[in-house]
Every structure is written in structure tokens, then in C-alpha cells.
Amino acid sequence: MKEIIQTVNAPAAIGPYSQATAGSHLVFTSGQLALDPATGDFVKGGIVEQTRQALTNVKNILESAGATMDQVMKTTVFLSDMNNFAEMNKVYGEFFTEGAYPARSAVEVARLPKDALVEIEALALK
């Protein structure tokens, strides 16, 4: 059975999708931008601040689904500019336990919603 995951601790969906769905002991988050859930606005700053907020949004969604960042199996990171990879990667590493990192893909895309610098989605065990 599919469960819809919704929390006020992450930005509301900006289209016809859910923050996350869960089923069969898995949680799939939608891509998260660096939107402050309280205001709906981007956090101030560059790639470091946007990566931190996007991952905080992922973390909050997973927690509302009964999962943790340590249960993340795979992430996909979408970057508007691959030149931001090193700075994104440094912040990304703060959210996961060394030696137990999830699998990851990181790709540069032509454009992200709302002209974000980064968008991150995750697949986790529940």
C-alpha cells in the first residue's frame, strides 16, 4: 500500500506531487530545493547554504516518515553547475555517517525549478 508523506517541516509541494511516498519499507522523497519551509523562499546564500537546506528538507521528510539519514540507500543530486560539486560535496558529507554513505548520482542539468542551484532526492529504508 502506498502512503503519502507530508510534513510542515519541509516546503510544501509546488506542483502535483507529494513530498514523499512510502511503501514496502521504502521511502521515496521528491527532489528538495533550498526552500525554507516557514517562508517558502530560498535560503540566502550560495551552493553551501542551498545544499544544507535541501538536505535538511530531505532529513525532515524522512523523519516524518519514520526514517533517518542513516537509512538512505541512494540519493540523486541535480546541480545547475558542476563547478559547484566540491562545495556541495563537503556539505553533503555532514549529513551522512562516514563509512556508511548511500549510493549517489550527481548530474549537471540545464535548469532547476525556481532557478535553484541544487535539488536533492533520496530513497531510504523505513
Side-chain angles (χ1 to χ4, degrees):
M1 177 179 287
K2 180 169 95 173
E3 176 186 359
I4 302 299
I5 307 300
Q6 184 71 28
T7 179
V8 297
N9 294 322
I14 58 174
Y17 61 90
S18 300
Q19 289 173 322
T21 57
S24 299
H25 307 291
L26 295 172
V27 179
F28 300 83
T29 73
S30 291
Q32 293 301 302
L33 303 176
L35 299 174
D36 180 326
T39 66
D41 295 328
F42 276 107
V43 294
K44 296 203 184 307
I47 189 65
V48 168
E49 293 80 10
Q50 284 201 21
T51 301
R52 186 167 286 114
Q53 185 63 52
L55 284 166
T56 297
N57 293 339
V58 167
K59 179 178 179 276
N60 289 340
I61 291 168
L62 291 175
E63 287 175 354
S64 75
T68 68
M69 294 298 272
D70 284 338
Q71 292 170 286
V72 173
M73 300 294 291
K74 169 82 167 63
T75 64
T76 305
V77 177
F78 303 96
L79 294 164
S80 65
D81 184 346
M82 195 55 81
N83 290 318
N84 288 329
F85 181 84
E87 288 180 281
M88 175 282 298
N89 201 47
K90 189 177 211 180
V91 175
Y92 180 96
E94 297 170 9
F95 282 80
F96 298 100
T97 303
E98 188 171 341
Y101 296 128
R104 178 181 76 188
S105 299
V107 296
E108 179 178 294
V109 295
R111 192 169 180 199
L112 288 166
K114 297 187 172 225
D115 292 319
L117 300 177
V118 63
E119 181 174 5
I120 301 172
E121 64 182 21
L123 167 62
L125 296 173
K126 182 177 176 183

